[in-house]
Amino acid sequence: MIHYKSREEIELMRESAQIVSKTLGMVAREIKPGVTPLHLDKLAEEFIRDHGAEPGFLGMYDFPNTLCMSRNNVVVHGYPDDKPLEDGDIISVDCGALKNGFYGDHAYTFQVGEVAPEVKKLLQVTLESLYLGIAQMHAGKRLGDIGHAVQAHAESNGYGVVRDLVGHGIGRTMHEDPQVPNYGKQGRGKKLQEGLVLAIEPMINMGTHRVAYLPDNWTIVTGDRKHSAHFEHDVAIVDGKPDVLSTFNYVFEALGLPEEDFSVPAKI
């Protein structure tokens, strides 16, 4: 069942989402060759608690960390480890926070040092795909419109769109109805309505769309072990239009990039 949110609830969700956004901004300042994901995970937990929230992922489904950190060919659900980041890596940092009874859930894929041009393009197109999906989130449109926008852009650039994992509704629980695939047909699926809040999160692979589970039954990697990128925003429908509750501006500020602008292609 879909839980539509009131204006007051959406503002509480914005507060949770912004804490996650600020956490990613803090992480952005710390990511560099030689730093370990476990160190970043510890910093993130302290940062979230210092801002009056609880880490949203810690303990969920028995996950032992604050951040999901997915390097190179890991699509999502990577465990932070003690292997230092290397020049040329990319790493998706997915973070959640719980405050005032509502969750925020937000992800960004970072470049570590100097990244190969073809990998940089993958990140660029994935981020653009997110923005194109968000642009479809108007009252009266359909869930399929979001997925179609993401899929069309990614596949037109030769990339694989992950089918096994999807975005989701979000609110008092981290994962609510409806599921939000990153593929679909225009005009199909559930009608979008005022008060709907979604976590839209394209997961785009450089090669095949297929994925595989590692023996831990949690970490998900690309089927051909090529790189994958992942970006995520929390978005509400307010006055019939998309209202993005999270922001990459803290990340962009840390990286020296222009402010986020959903009307133009992303710059990363």
Side-chain angles (χ1 to χ4, degrees):
M1 184 174 74
I2 297 175
H3 299 281
Y4 297 97
K5 277 68 176 185
S6 67
R7 295 290 184 94
E8 292 76 16
E9 289 173 325
I10 288 172
E11 289 310 310
L12 291 175
M13 293 192 68
R14 192 189 310 276
E15 186 174 349
S16 298
Q18 290 286 316
I19 289 173
V20 180
S21 299
K22 291 175 181 177
T23 305
L24 292 182
M26 179 275 296
V27 168
R29 297 183 186 280
E30 301 294 329
I31 283 185
K32 53 181 161 297
V35 172
T36 68
L38 271 175
H39 173 69
L40 297 172
D41 185 72
K42 184 175 185 297
L43 292 179
E45 179 179 356
E46 293 173 351
F47 188 91
I48 290 169
R49 294 190 189 281
D50 287 346
H51 284 76
E54 296 293 322
F57 294 169
L58 185 61
M60 183 176 291
Y61 312 124
D62 296 324
F63 188 71
N65 298 100
T66 293
L67 302 176
C68 288
M69 303 189 75
S70 305
R71 189 183 333 208
N72 297 334
N73 62 25
V74 179
V75 180
V76 287
H77 298 170
Y79 289 102
D81 58 22
D82 58 3
K83 179 183 176 183
L85 297 175
E86 297 181 2
D87 187 67
D89 282 343
I90 59 171
I91 187 162
S92 164
V93 180
D94 193 357
C95 180
L98 173 64
K99 187 173 184 180
N100 298 319
F102 288 95
Y103 283 92
D105 182 17
H106 189 31
Y108 191 93
T109 300
F110 292 93
Q111 304 172 50
V112 182
E114 189 62 35
V115 172
E118 62 270 21
V119 177
K120 188 184 290 275
K121 181 183 176 185
L122 172 69
L123 270 60
Q124 174 82 18
V125 170
T126 305
L127 188 52
E128 291 170 359
S129 296
L130 170 63
Y131 291 167
L132 291 168
I134 290 170
Q136 296 300 313
M137 201 170 157
H138 288 259
K141 282 187 169 285
R142 302 275 180 172
L143 273 175
D145 295 322
I146 298 173
H148 176 80
V150 172
Q151 181 182 15
H153 189 59
E155 291 184 348
S156 70
N157 282 276
Y159 299 134
V161 178
V162 174
R163 266 71 164 171
D164 297 59
L165 304 153
V166 297
H168 51 90
I170 186 169
R172 291 190 180 276
T173 57
M174 177 67 76
H175 299 112
E176 296 185 353
D177 289 334
Q179 293 189 343
V180 187
N182 292 303
Y183 59 93
K185 295 184 178 180
Q186 290 176 300
R188 304 290 284 273
K190 189 77 176 177
K191 183 179 284 189
L192 308 181
Q193 299 181 37
E194 185 78 11
L196 179 67
V197 185
L198 301 178
I200 301 176
E201 49 177 327
M203 291 156 274
I204 308 299
N205 298 343
M206 186 171 285
T208 179
H209 71 272
R210 300 185 186 281
V211 299
Y213 283 82
L214 294 186
D216 61 23
N217 289 319
W218 179 259
T219 306
I220 300 172
V221 299
T222 56
D224 55 11
R225 302 305 192 265
K226 293 183 179 180
H227 282 48
S228 183
H230 173 219
F231 293 90
E232 179 179 21
H233 265 314
D234 297 338
V235 189
I237 296 181
V238 177
D239 294 329
K241 301 178 294 186
D243 183 351
V244 184
L245 307 182
S246 47
T247 180
F248 289 139
N249 280 339
Y250 298 108
V251 169
F252 287 1
E253 179 183 1
L255 299 179
L257 298 173
E259 285 196 354
E260 191 167 32
D261 185 346
F262 297 98
S263 66
V264 299
K267 291 182 173 61
I268 60 174

